[in-house]
Structures are given as C-alpha cells and as structure tokens.
Amino acid sequence: MSISIHPVILSGGAGTRLWPLSRRLRPKQFLDIHGDTTLFAETLGRVSGPGFSAPTVICNAEHRFLVAEELRAAGLTPADIILEPIARNTAPAIAAAALKLLRGDPDALMLVLPSDHVIEPAGAFAECVLGAADLAAEGRLVTFGVKPAHAETGYGYIQQGEALEGNGWQVARFVEKPDRETAEGYLVEGGYFWNAGIFLFSASAYMEELGRLQPDISAAATAAIDAGAEDLDFFRLDEEAFARAPAVSIDYAVMEKTDRAAVVPMTASWSDVGSWDSLAALGEKDANGNVVQGEALLIDSRDTYVRSEKPLVVALGIDGLAIIATDDTVMVLPRDRAQDVKEVVAQLEQTNREEHISHTRVYRPWGHYQNLEDGTGFLVKRIVVKPGAKLSLQFHHHRAEHWIVVSGVARVSNGDETIELSANQSTYIPQGAPHRLENPGDAPLHLIEVQSGGYIGEDDIVRLEDTYGRQ
C-alpha cells in the first residue's frame, strides 16, 4: 500500500538573528536570502513531489496573506492554513495540525518541518523522508539528524542508540547546545547528530504521546480546534482555548521523554540559516575568504561577509566582520558575535524604534507600498497594486491624499464618484472622503501617493469594507 505523507510547515519564527534583513512583518522565510526564491518557496518545493499530500501551514495572523501568496505562486492548494492567535511554541501548534489531519485521515503521517531552512538537494531530502515512512507507520516518532561537519555550539545534538530495522536508530538522548569542548568531544566520539528540528510520525502516535506526557497541551489544542472558525481561506484557532496551552517545544514536551523516538540520518546538506555567519558559510568565498552579496568593494580585507540590499558598501582593511546594509539600516559586527543579533532586536524593542518591525517596503494582500520620503506634515509613497486587486473602502480623519499614476490603470472611488486613471493622470482624495483604489487591468498598477495633513500614520485608516476581512 502506498503511503502519502502530509507536510506540516511551521512558519511562526521571527528570524531575529538575521535582522536587519528579517523583520517581524516579513521574517526570513519570506525573503530570497539564498538563491532566487524565498525560503518558504524552497520548503514547498521539497515536499511537493510524489508521495506528499497537500501541505498544512501553521503561521500567525500577521503573515497569513504572505503564506497564501507563496502557495498561490507555487500553484498549490493547501490542506489548511492554520492561524495561531498567540505564540505557544511548537508542541501545541503541531497538536493543532495533527488534530485537523486526523479528522480527514485517521492514519495520517505528518512531516513537520520549519519553513526557513536550506536543504539541498531537494530530491535527496524527499528520498530520506520517504525512506523513514515505514518507521513512522510502525508508531515511531522519527527525527532527522545531520552528521556534524564541525564542532557547532549553536545547535542541539541527538545521540544515537540501538540500531533499528532500516536506516535508523533509537534515540539515546537529546543534548542541549554544548560548549566548544563538549562539541569537539562529540565529533571525536561519533554517534551524534545535529538536531535539524524536522519530524515524521503518525498524527495519532503524536497525540497519544502528547496526551500521556503533556495532557494540558492536548486538551488546549483540542478545544482550540473545536472552537475554531473558518475565515476566508484560513482556519483560526480559538484564542482563549489555545492560550491555555503551555508554551513548550516538541523537543521538551515529547521527544526528550518518549521511548518511541528514532533518529534517521539526513543525506542532504542542511542549514537552519540561523545567523549571518551560517548564511556566509553558504556563499562563495573569494581568495581572501570574503563573501559578498550585492554592491560591495572590499580592499585589503579578509574573512568578511558583506550583504547590501541597496547602497554600495566599501570595506578597507578589515578582518572577520559582517556588514549588512538595507535601505534604512546598516549593521556591523564581528562574525563570531553573529548569534547575538537577537540582543540588538531586543534593544530596538525596548527603545520603541520601528526598524525591527517592518521594512520600508510593506506587503499587503493587494500588493505593496514603499515609503520614499517623509517630513513634517507629509509622506511620499510608491504603491503597487496587483492585477485584479483592490484596497479597502476607507477614509482618514487627519490627512488628504494625492495619487499620480505611473503605469497601469487605476479605478478610483472618491465619495460618490468613480473614475479611471492611466499613466500621467492624477486625482485628489480630500480628508474624510470615503475612497477606494482598484486595479482593473491585467498588469500591475504603479502610482505615487503624497499624503498631507496634521497627522501621518498607518493607524489613521478607518475601513468601511474590505475584501480581505480586515475591518
């Protein structure tokens, strides 16, 4: 009998260690930081072939339209997009997905994987997963281990135990991130794997062990599913019920305590892209050990990683640094401090800055906008609306807006009037006037918006009607 595996993609991470490129509203899984596609798209690609069913995605509500767009671009219809109302770590999230799958398939095998890893080649990964399906079907909770390439202190480890039939072992123990001396000892001793955080098991086996080991999580997830609701193309977990689940990872909740854990070696190369140093390790080095992405000029510099999203970065006579430049932020740090970037994000939060929240380009379900210039009483934006998309019917208490079409066709509702504008035409939206912008064409609509008024802020939007349920 053929086995179909249900991918369950976890997309709740914030990617703080890859700031300033990764930010809260568009974290690293939705960025093309490795290759020409996003990490999320790469994840979809490696679990979309023979043997895999339609994916289930778990994400927070802020990212729901980003997830939907990634799936649309990949030509995939998901089994579910489950929205977490509050972050409770991986064990409750996986339980919610397991319960949804069990309603449609009592024998469902689920492959749980993060959306922000680099695994190459995709075919080798799929072969490894399919090869472990028999273990999972027998009731084993399979985790995939990566053979250590060096003494890494940023990963947890798995020690293999007794051999099982097929290509796997019982798990002897899980080990927290070790210090340098301990990690070097693991390399010498052998029998240890990096913990990739990827799991394969039957939904029923996971819920059995969760109910035995963490009944509070099982009960809360069940209640959150039972009281949840469909919302457009999404399923919203009930917030009150889900909040009762302890915030615990699957490792702590189940894998470290169960006697059914098995480890299977991953034959593909793997990186969690968890820091700028790990991303640099994926790049091509020059003769001096430097890795450059974007516009940069390095002179008399060594072992340095430079990534620029816009400006030219010039580095003279430096050694062992990482330099990251976006259009609104520049960060410089020693490469051996790459794991500490999350402390920078924490500092930004404490000082009420906004650079950790959003890029200057902000994505919406209808397209995106980018802030170009601002000052007292004004803001200039570039707005791009996807073909067939429209913004909400809205008004503003404190500002007026001027719209100039650069290319495409704009259908503008302004009070009781509806007009269509093409390139080089413009219109004025008075303060307080109900208005809506729509792209009726088959090409993207590009326009420039100039806001003016006593208060310029995204919270000065009163939505009267919205296609995307954001009232």
Side-chain angles (χ1 to χ4, degrees):
M1 181 179 64
S2 63
I3 296 176
S4 182
I5 294 173
H6 300 264
V8 174
I9 300 173
L10 305 178
S11 187
T16 54
R17 288 177 294 176
L18 284 185
W19 184 87
L21 203 58
S22 177
R23 306 195 186 187
R24 193 185 78 191
L25 294 184
R26 197 173 183 87
K28 68 174 182 174
Q29 59 264 38
F30 302 112
L31 303 174
D32 53 350
I33 61 174
H34 175 73
D36 298 327
T37 59
T38 66
L39 295 179
F40 195 101
E42 290 183 14
T43 303
L44 290 175
R46 72 177 68 104
V47 294
S48 297
F52 294 101
S53 298
T56 293
V57 182
I58 308 173
C59 66
N60 64 52
E62 280 186 328
H63 299 154
R64 65 193 186 281
F65 295 114
L66 294 174
V67 167
E69 177 61 21
E70 292 281 356
L71 289 160
R72 184 204 63 78
L76 295 173
T77 300
D80 263 306
I81 302 176
I82 301 174
L83 305 184
E84 291 182 282
I86 183 173
R88 306 316 281 159
N89 215 312
T90 54
I94 295 167
L99 290 166
K100 286 282 279 180
L101 288 172
L102 284 170
R103 292 186 173 185
D105 180 2
D107 299 318
L109 294 186
M110 52 193 296
L111 171 68
V112 179
L113 68 167
S115 60
D116 56 359
H117 290 183
V118 172
I119 302 174
E120 296 174 330
F125 173 75
E127 184 178 343
C128 178
V129 170
L130 294 171
D134 286 343
L135 281 175
E138 293 168 2
R140 290 282 182 179
L141 277 62
V142 177
T143 183
F144 294 91
V146 178
K147 185 177 180 180
H150 55 270
E152 174 62 55
T153 60
Y155 301 148
Y157 284 71
I158 304 167
Q159 185 182 22
Q160 70 184 54
E162 294 182 12
L164 300 170
E165 288 188 17
N167 188 25
W169 296 268
Q170 291 184 355
V171 171
R173 61 174 178 139
F174 288 83
V175 184
E176 288 297 309
K177 298 175 183 178
D179 57 28
R180 176 68 58 184
E181 183 179 354
T182 303
E184 290 174 348
Y186 292 162
L187 281 181
V188 174
E189 181 180 348
Y192 285 86
F193 298 95
W194 289 336
N195 185 353
I198 301 173
F199 308 94
L200 178 66
F201 38 67
S202 71
S204 59
Y206 177 71
M207 292 308 301
E208 287 170 9
E209 289 299 271
L210 189 68
R212 182 175 69 86
L213 298 168
Q214 297 284 344
D216 289 350
I217 295 178
S218 178
T222 301
I225 289 289
D226 290 341
E230 302 288 342
D231 178 5
L232 298 177
D233 296 328
F234 312 103
F235 182 85
R236 290 184 179 272
L237 297 172
D238 181 75
E239 182 170 2
E240 182 180 351
F242 198 64
R244 293 197 293 268
V248 184
S249 73
I250 181 177
D251 294 286
Y252 289 134
V254 175
M255 298 303 293
E256 294 182 4
K257 300 177 177 66
T258 183
D259 58 1
R260 297 162 70 174
V263 58
V264 170
M266 190 186 302
T267 53
S269 67
W270 169 88
S271 172
D272 72 344
V273 203
S275 69
W276 287 113
D277 201 43
S278 63
L279 188 59
L282 298 175
E284 184 176 346
K285 296 181 180 180
D286 66 13
N288 294 317
N290 301 310
V291 176
V292 173
Q293 292 177 287
E295 293 293 318
L297 175 62
L298 273 65
I299 303 170
D300 192 25
S301 298
R302 291 170 177 78
D303 299 324
T304 289
Y305 175 71
V306 178
R307 182 176 185 121
S308 176
E309 296 299 299
K310 193 168 185 179
L312 172 67
V313 173
V314 179
L316 173 64
I318 62 174
D319 187 3
L321 295 184
I323 304 172
I324 317 300
T326 67
D327 60 352
D328 65 342
T329 305
V330 176
M331 180 177 67
V332 181
L333 72 158
R335 285 182 58 175
D336 61 8
R337 296 286 303 275
Q339 294 287 342
D340 298 333
V341 174
K342 58 185 178 181
E343 298 177 11
V344 176
V345 175
Q347 184 71 18
L348 292 170
E349 292 176 344
Q350 293 171 10
T351 54
N352 296 317
R353 295 193 65 95
E354 297 184 353
E355 287 86 351
H356 66 291
I357 298 174
S358 175
H359 302 86
T360 58
R361 175 177 289 190
V362 179
Y363 288 83
R364 292 288 187 256
W366 45 261
H368 66 265
Y369 69 83
Q370 184 155 9
N371 295 338
L372 302 177
E373 185 71 29
D374 66 275
T376 302
F378 79 93
L379 172 65
V380 181
K381 285 184 175 181
R382 177 174 176 262
I383 296 178
V384 178
V385 185
K386 294 184 291 188
K390 58 184 176 181
L391 283 65
S392 58
L393 178 64
Q394 59 184 258
F395 71 89
H396 310 293
H397 287 294
H398 304 289
R399 71 174 186 249
E401 296 176 345
H402 304 256
W403 293 345
I404 305 99
V405 176
V406 177
S407 64
V409 177
R411 180 175 294 155
V412 180
S413 299
N414 186 359
D416 296 329
E417 181 184 22
T418 298
I419 61 174
E420 288 195 358
L421 305 174
S422 55
N424 299 319
Q425 294 181 317
S426 64
T427 192
Y428 168 68
I429 310 295
Q431 178 179 319
H435 61 278
R436 169 172 256 163
L437 176 63
E438 182 178 355
N439 178 3
D442 55 7
L445 164 64
H446 294 253
L447 61 82
I448 299 297
E449 176 182 88
V450 181
Q451 302 177 2
S452 59
Y455 174 74
I456 306 296
E458 279 301 301
D459 55 349
D460 183 23
I461 297 177
V462 180
R463 292 189 175 96
L464 305 174
E465 179 185 316
D466 185 62
T467 304
Y468 312 104
R470 298 173 297 166
Q471 288 100 316

